[in-house]
Amino acid sequence: MALIVQKYGGTSVGSVERIQAVAQRVYKTVKAGNSLVVVVSAMGKTTDGLVKLANEISPNPNRREMDMLLSTGEQVTIALLSMALQELGQPAISMTGAQVGIVTEAEHSRARILHIETTRLTRHINEGKVVVVAGFQGTSSAKEMEITTLGRGGSDTSAVAIAAALGANFCEIYTDVPGILTTDPRLVAEAQLIDAITCNEMLELASLGAKVLHPRAVEIARNYGVPLVVRSSWTDDPGTWVTSAKPQGRSLINLEIARPVDAVEFDTNQAKVALLRVPDKPGVAARLFGEISRQKVDVDLIIQSIHEGNSNDIAFTVTTPILKRAEAVTAAIAPALRSQSNPKFDEAEVMIEHNIAKVSIAGAGMIGRPGVAAKMFATLAEAGVNIQMISTSEVKVSCVVDAAECDRAVAALRTAFEIEAGEQGAGSRGKLLTPNSCTDAINCVSSPAPPVRGVALDLNQARLAIRQLPDRPGMAAKLFGLLAQHNISVDMIIQSQRCRVIDGVPRRDIAFTVSRIDGENAKRMLTQVAAELGWGEVVLDSAIAKVSIVGAGMLGQPGIAAKMFEALAQQQINIQMIATSEIKISCVVAQEQGVKALQAIHAAFELAGSDKFVVPA
């Protein structure tokens, strides 16, 4: 009937009884006429135990030896599961990543998959065996035979990569929750099961901290059109399908390091509205975008910069035909946002900019690759194009530039990322697919997407701000190029709209978020560089949380942002930064308010269901 790849996580194989239960499920699937490859993780907390042992030997263990050590965890599981299948009378064979032919970069502890030699794997499948594969691992090359591991979420990545290499009908990810939920059930017990979600939406949710699927696995599924389904290991419920548009033919060589950008997009039908010096307090964004929503003004990008003193700047883009309406709404509400403490000095000011364009690069391959955004900024700098606004997501980086420079910017980006004119990316928005059959991903029907699919909270970020960066081409390229050289990935990037002229040089602030573990190193490095280059102060804040909503259906619905901001205002939660893409709105708030923010937004969009989900221990 079908060639299926199944993946079982550590909880699903955490004991002999659970391994036997997995064997029963696998056996049942084979008896239904399917061919099967099963990818498994190490049992339960095995990996944590191995890491603890290593740390007892050395405070800084060698990465090669750590790969040797950690790869043994999965080998225990594959042998036991193969034995369990054989006891049921089902032919099975266990194989390490090296035996399967998973060839990776020679990067210990964080290798990416280059290709998979499927000859041996296919032979065993054709012989009627279930092939049980050790996830999370591979080998650097046939010559070196260095054992490598793929890093966090490596078993998900192994499973989807094998499904892509084999051309499997679909890949099933078995876990300890019933599928993709609208939020983390440990924070909202009434989180609701999502029947189907697009790869683009799942990429955003996965990268925002939703731990059910690793972004690298979703990236591979999206790039190669692998239908994914996430299911509970404990029930026969249908779970959640993760779907993608059919991609163009893509080589399986350099599987995870193929070109990161699929398309260069642009929109010259845009104008920018900026509201400068609005009070830095809860409710301001809610009031502004609530009125914008009531006037049926559809907003594209929204950014709110870091505060300066007791005020912020908020900027957004609209299409040119509705600029007059957007300008009127903003001008009408500006006086009402005036600070009461010092009205004359802090009066909100509306700034309109015509003749702008939005230029974007898009592609799932940019996830976790800090050099991609830096390359975009460097390319624009070399073309003499100044960046006025920046908005980022996991699958897209957008820059607002002068409309007169749009053609030059697009041509330069297409050359830099080797994109042919008119070439479409694999991530074009398509219909959301909902399966009729939980065993056949092909039998799907289109279903209208609700505006918000899920809410995510990331408590593992820190924010860095550089004050008074010269406002000229090349500054963003230099800044983010330095971070890329130190392998520091950047998430949100906000460039302030307020410009100050100091010693004849126009300057702006720029803020961005990084992983908290990179925060101190990034600050130390940038502080040294700032002194050399004449930049202003570098400020680090590690006590932040990022709360986000994701949904392809929010496009063209101006009330979605307002509803999110209002939910936060009602809880007296101040928004410190805002960044948006077509399918995501993210707000930075104080760390101690992160969970409350997520719960308030989840309730506001009525995403809760009647059932309560309890995550097994």
Side-chain angles (χ1 to χ4, degrees):
M1 287 176 65
L3 172 58
I4 304 169
V5 177
Q6 292 183 343
K7 179 261 177 178
Y8 294 90
T11 307
S12 303
V13 292
S15 66
V16 168
E17 292 75 21
R18 290 183 177 182
I19 288 174
Q20 289 171 330
V22 167
Q24 288 286 352
R25 187 186 289 271
V26 171
Y27 182 69
K28 181 180 177 182
T29 306
V30 173
K31 288 305 173 187
N34 301 296
S35 298
L36 214 58
V37 175
V38 180
V39 177
V40 293
S41 299
M43 294 174 65
K45 302 291 185 181
T46 298
T47 301
D48 292 342
L50 293 172
V51 171
K52 184 179 178 182
L53 284 173
N55 289 333
E56 289 175 1
I57 295 291
S58 168
N60 186 26
N62 179 275
R63 283 169 54 193
R64 178 190 183 276
E65 302 310 328
M66 282 299 292
D67 277 1
M68 291 290 285
L69 176 66
L70 298 183
S71 65
T72 63
E74 281 72 21
Q75 292 182 45
V76 173
T77 316
I78 59 174
L80 291 175
L81 181 55
S82 293
M83 293 175 193
L85 286 166
Q86 290 163 10
E87 284 297 307
L88 294 174
Q90 171 58 48
I93 183 170
S94 62
M95 299 178 74
T96 66
Q99 289 172 320
V100 167
I102 298 176
V103 180
T104 75
E105 301 171 303
E107 282 282 345
H108 289 293
S109 80
R110 58 181 182 215
R112 287 182 178 265
I113 298 173
L114 299 179
H115 63 278
I116 301 177
E117 301 284 354
T118 59
T119 305
R120 187 175 180 185
L121 194 56
T122 304
R123 186 177 77 246
H124 289 306
I125 293 169
N126 291 339
E127 290 170 353
K129 296 175 185 174
V130 171
V131 184
V132 184
V133 179
F136 176 68
Q137 61 181 250
T139 183
S140 60
S141 69
K143 181 180 179 181
E144 296 292 334
M145 290 300 289
E146 284 289 312
I147 292 175
T148 54
T149 63
L150 309 183
R152 191 172 67 84
S155 292
D156 286 354
T157 305
S158 299
V160 181
I162 289 170
L166 289 174
N169 295 84
F170 54 93
C171 178
E172 298 177 317
I173 306 291
Y174 284 93
T175 183
D176 50 11
V177 291
I180 309 300
L181 302 176
T182 51
T183 197
D184 188 338
R186 289 165 293 195
L187 302 178
V188 180
E190 298 81 11
Q192 192 173 352
L193 180 68
I194 302 171
D195 292 332
I197 189 169
T198 65
C199 269
N200 276 2
E201 291 170 316
M202 192 64 237
L203 272 171
E204 299 286 10
L205 283 172
S207 301
L208 290 168
K211 298 179 177 63
V212 178
L213 272 176
H214 195 274
R216 282 171 62 185
V218 184
E219 175 191 353
I220 297 168
R222 180 184 185 269
N223 286 343
Y224 292 94
V226 178
L228 275 177
V229 59
V230 180
R231 291 184 171 140
S232 169
S233 299
W234 325 114
T235 72
D236 292 323
D237 294 341
T240 303
W241 284 94
V242 183
T243 62
S244 58
K246 187 175 181 179
Q248 294 177 341
R250 196 179 186 110
S251 172
L252 288 162
I253 303 299
N254 292 333
L255 192 146
E256 273 203 280
I257 62 168
R259 68 180 188 187
V261 173
D262 292 324
V264 175
E265 304 166 357
F266 64 95
D267 183 357
T268 56
N269 191 29
Q270 294 236 328
K272 180 176 72 176
V273 180
L275 197 56
L276 308 185
R277 295 186 296 278
V278 298
D280 181 33
K281 63 183 182 181
V284 171
R287 192 167 181 180
L288 171 61
F289 289 98
E291 188 59 34
I292 285 172
S293 172
R294 283 186 286 276
Q295 298 300 323
K296 301 291 189 291
V297 174
D298 189 20
V299 172
D300 185 3
L301 301 180
I302 303 172
I303 66 165
Q304 177 181 302
S305 61
I306 54 170
H307 68 87
E308 182 174 340
N310 61 352
S311 67
N312 275 325
D313 302 337
I314 298 178
F316 56 92
T317 60
V318 295
T319 56
T320 305
I322 62 171
L323 174 60
K324 290 293 185 185
R325 197 156 18 122
E327 184 177 358
V329 172
T330 310
I333 200 171
L337 298 178
R338 185 180 304 163
S339 170
Q340 299 304 310
S341 60
N342 194 344
K344 290 184 179 179
F345 182 76
D346 287 326
E347 183 174 353
E349 174 190 352
V350 179
M351 184 174 69
I352 306 297
E353 185 141 1
H354 303 266
N355 302 318
I356 64 166
K358 182 177 72 171
V359 180
S360 308
I361 56 172
M366 63 179 69
I367 293 173
R369 301 183 196 180
V372 177
K375 183 175 180 179
M376 179 187 192
F377 303 150
T379 300
L380 293 177
E382 288 166 9
V385 176
N386 198 35
I387 300 169
Q388 300 180 25
M389 290 173 70
I390 300 170
S391 180
T392 59
S393 80
E394 290 303 329
V395 294
K396 183 176 286 189
V397 180
S398 298
C399 295
V400 170
V401 302
D402 191 290
E405 298 176 334
C406 181
D407 288 347
R408 189 162 79 248
V410 170
L413 290 171
R414 282 177 174 158
T415 299
F417 290 103
E418 300 178 2
I419 305 294
E420 296 294 329
E423 187 173 353
Q424 295 299 312
S428 301
R429 281 192 301 274
K431 294 180 179 178
L432 179 69
L433 301 179
T434 306
N436 286 326
S437 165
C438 64
T439 58
D440 186 355
I442 306 304
N443 293 333
C444 300
V445 293
S446 62
S447 172
V452 175
R453 310 308 309 284
V455 185
L457 176 66
D458 191 342
L459 293 168
N460 296 309
Q461 292 209 339
R463 180 182 62 224
L464 283 150
I466 301 180
R467 302 290 188 181
Q468 301 171 11
L469 201 68
D471 183 31
R472 57 174 178 253
M475 284 299 101
K478 185 177 290 291
L479 168 59
F480 295 105
L482 285 167
L483 292 167
Q485 287 172 23
H486 288 78
N487 203 34
I488 296 173
S489 292
V490 175
D491 184 15
M492 294 172 68
I493 302 172
I494 303 293
Q495 183 172 266
S496 70
Q497 295 305 294
R498 214 177 305 185
C499 186
R500 292 189 171 185
V501 178
I502 300 174
D503 297 329
V505 179
R507 296 173 180 267
R508 297 182 192 270
D509 298 341
I510 194 163
F512 52 92
T513 59
V514 298
S515 174
R516 187 172 298 158
I517 61 173
D518 291 329
E520 289 291 348
N521 286 338
K523 181 186 177 183
R524 193 178 306 112
M525 181 267 292
L526 291 174
T527 299
Q528 180 180 345
V529 172
E532 296 170 359
L533 298 178
W535 297 351
E537 181 187 12
V538 180
V539 182
L540 172 67
D541 184 357
S542 296
I544 65 165
K546 183 179 72 173
V547 62
S548 309
I549 58 174
V550 173
M554 70 173 66
L555 198 66
Q557 298 199 38
I560 300 303
K563 194 170 187 177
M564 179 184 187
F565 302 153
E566 178 60 30
L568 296 175
Q570 287 177 358
Q571 297 296 319
Q572 289 297 300
I573 297 172
N574 195 35
I575 300 172
Q576 300 179 15
M577 291 171 68
I578 301 170
T580 67
S581 71
E582 285 89 342
I583 65 170
K584 180 182 75 172
I585 302 172
S586 294
C587 295
V588 168
V589 301
Q591 185 181 47
E592 67 270 15
Q593 294 182 310
V595 172
K596 185 165 74 168
L598 176 139
Q599 292 170 339
I601 294 167
H602 194 270
F605 286 100
E606 301 177 354
L607 296 176
S610 55
D611 296 328
K612 290 190 176 183
F613 294 111
V614 179
V615 179

